[in-house]
Amino acid sequence: MREIVIGGAQMGPIQRTDTRAQVVDRMLALLDQARGACCDLVVFPELALTTFFPRWYMEDPAEVEAWFETEMPNAATQPLFDRARTYGIAISFGYAERTPDGHHFNTSILTDKAGEIVGKYRKIHLPGHSEYDHDRAFQHLEKRYFEPGDLGFPVWRNLDAWMGMCICNDRRWPEVYRVMGLQGAELIMLGYNTPSVNSQASAEGLEQRLYHSDLSMTAGAYQNASWVVGVAKAGDEDGHPLMAGSIIVDPNGFVVARAETEGDELIVYPCDMDLCAFGKSTIFDFARHRRTEHYGRITAQTGVEYPDT
């Protein structure tokens, strides 16, 4: 048995006026709970340090830059790294990253138990739009503030397991899980900030949105025989509701832990990485069963192209 006790550190809303220090204090409180639950790894949400700022249309570059981190760890987050190191807990969390050469990404990092960053992922599937859209109930401007990630979907050896990351909208794309599954991923971590309301289809209610979130993650887990941990930032951020629904999914696609609130909440489950072996050696033994000669369209084509009739 290769058991990793994983904590999904769901966070409640972060308001526009909240400081990094206030947010990190909340993250530290969740980390304290995780120590009490004997966690080995704690997964925090996407953009864990700030409100979901892509909902705001901003034209002033200085206003935009204020949401981005230029180094990690930095003065605001160092206490989180220090306490995680003291506790011997690996962590993963998301933030807005500005690189030294001026590129902007929606990023997640992964540390080992010594607090050293061992993995970085930059969000690839950016939803929304880049200019103000009068037809939307609210804005979703990730394409305005972020560039598509440039690191692919890497997998790292950490805590004696193969681990990968993705972020929010990535979870809805089956290719994401499969690319990591083809690298032997046993654990896929993701954070999300997902509106409770569809800005273009208001009739789609919270129940449907939670179902689609679950469906994406449980299917990805099952079809790649991997644990999946999906962690939300939720609740009412400056009048804009985000859905909760944080879950831990086992390699057979079953939800084994689920958040009950829309606030700061830790869900915990002892995840045996060896449970991935059965699926990876039977129905999803890729080496035996995949037929790549028929899959070329997946990477050769982006949009729909109807067959000639």
Side-chain angles (χ1 to χ4, degrees):
M1 178 182 293
R2 289 179 294 131
E3 184 178 274
I4 302 174
V5 180
I6 300 177
Q10 177 175 289
M11 298 182 70
I14 299 173
Q15 308 308 332
R16 196 172 187 176
T17 56
D18 289 344
T19 66
R20 304 287 204 284
Q22 289 172 318
V23 175
V24 169
D25 281 345
R26 289 168 53 188
M27 297 172 77
L28 290 170
L30 287 162
L31 198 58
D32 291 343
Q33 293 180 40
R35 184 196 189 195
C38 300
C39 288
D40 300 296
L41 168 65
V42 174
V43 182
F44 291 95
E46 173 192 30
L47 296 178
L49 303 176
T50 68
T51 193
F52 185 72
F53 65 86
R55 70 170 62 93
W56 308 108
Y57 182 79
M58 296 175 282
E59 293 182 310
D60 180 0
E63 184 180 8
V64 175
E65 292 295 341
W67 299 108
F68 285 80
E69 316 300 324
T70 57
E71 58 182 350
M72 191 59 63
N74 54 30
T77 59
Q78 191 63 56
L80 182 64
F81 282 78
D82 291 343
R83 192 166 302 181
R85 182 183 303 110
T86 298
Y87 290 167
I89 297 176
I91 58 174
S92 175
F93 67 91
Y95 63 97
E97 176 195 14
R98 181 168 69 84
T99 67
D101 55 350
H103 293 282
H104 297 78
F105 298 105
N106 188 338
T107 297
S108 283
I109 56 166
L110 171 66
T111 77
D112 59 19
K113 287 189 172 186
E116 298 298 322
I117 295 174
V118 296
K120 175 182 283 189
Y121 169 75
R122 292 168 173 160
K123 185 175 181 179
I124 288 174
H125 296 95
L126 299 175
H129 50 112
S130 59
E131 298 299 331
Y132 193 90
D133 186 347
H134 294 277
D135 294 327
R136 289 176 180 259
F138 54 89
Q139 303 303 299
H140 197 125
L141 293 156
E142 287 193 60
K143 291 184 185 295
R144 181 178 183 85
Y145 303 125
F146 299 120
E147 302 165 53
D150 59 354
L151 301 176
F153 296 101
V155 167
W156 304 271
R157 190 73 177 174
N158 193 32
L159 280 62
D160 196 28
W162 291 106
M163 301 183 179
M165 293 183 284
C166 60
I167 299 174
C168 197
N169 188 47
D170 286 324
R171 73 190 188 275
R172 306 186 190 279
W173 298 87
E175 298 92 337
V176 170
Y177 302 92
R178 182 50 47 87
V179 170
M180 286 187 273
L182 285 167
Q183 298 172 78
E186 297 167 308
L187 170 64
I188 296 171
M189 297 159 282
L190 66 98
Y192 58 91
N193 287 203
T194 300
S196 299
V197 178
N198 188 322
S199 67
Q200 297 173 291
S202 59
E204 181 186 351
L206 178 60
E207 182 178 357
Q208 291 170 289
R209 293 179 71 73
L210 287 168
Y211 169 76
H212 287 146
S213 182
D214 280 6
L215 177 64
S216 300
M217 291 187 280
T218 54
Y222 168 65
Q223 292 172 344
N224 295 277
S226 174
W227 292 89
V228 171
V229 180
V231 182
K233 174 145 63 69
D236 190 323
E237 288 193 344
D238 295 311
H240 296 268
L242 298 173
M243 72 182 204
S246 301
I247 54 175
I248 299 174
V249 187
D250 77 10
N252 291 305
F254 294 106
V255 176
V256 295
R258 183 186 297 275
E260 298 178 353
T261 73
E262 290 188 342
D264 292 5
E265 179 182 352
L266 185 74
I267 59 173
V268 179
Y269 197 81
C271 303
D272 181 4
M273 297 297 114
D274 284 340
L275 290 182
C276 301
F278 181 77
K280 290 182 184 297
S281 63
T282 56
I283 191 169
F284 297 115
D285 182 342
F286 298 151
R288 281 198 295 151
H289 303 312
R290 294 185 78 242
R291 304 304 312 179
T292 56
E293 67 268 29
H294 299 294
Y295 303 161
R297 187 179 296 273
I298 290 176
T299 57
Q301 179 180 323
T302 303
V304 172
E305 297 178 9
Y306 293 101
D308 295 332
T309 57

